[in-house]
Amino acid sequence: MATYVMGTNSVHTSAELCDYLSRRIETGDVVHVVNSHKGGDSTDSDDVRDGDDALNVVSSRLGDFVTVETHQYIRGNEAAEDILECADEQGADEIVIGVRKRNPTSKIVFGSTAQDVLLSSNVPMAVVPLEKVY
């Protein structure tokens, strides 16, 4: 039995990460899905709704195969903090995050959340490309 923590910020990200995990998960595994917002003036009802939609994608795509627990945090933390804290609390075996590639004339740029998770975690990670190079 494996425990995964997935960080997502959109329906698209959730779908791409589910495609990756669907090839890895087995009966008895648990997937904790994290969507994080700062709160206050930085977060509006559309952000919360979009976060719920992102979480629901994972539940609907993977919920028939494994246990999916969703976590939408609105508590003033950076997203990386919430992902890392969830991974620690749940004893994660792997963190799954997505990154976007950039065009060939610029280097691959990780978003600040992905970079912070990569540099701060002691848990193995899967980094999934989210888009084709454009």
Side-chain angles (χ1 to χ4, degrees), residues 78-92:
E78 296 295 329
E81 290 177 81
D82 285 333
I83 292 167
L84 292 166
E85 187 174 308
C86 184
D88 185 51
E89 289 172 357
Q90 302 304 327

Side-chain angles (χ1 to χ4, degrees), residues 12-33:
H12 174 74
T13 298
S14 293
E16 294 288 332
L17 298 181
C18 283
D19 287 346
Y20 165 78
L21 273 179
S22 67
R23 298 184 299 270
R24 306 258 342 260
I25 56 175
E26 298 178 1
T27 302
D29 289 350
V30 179
V31 178
H32 292 270
V33 190

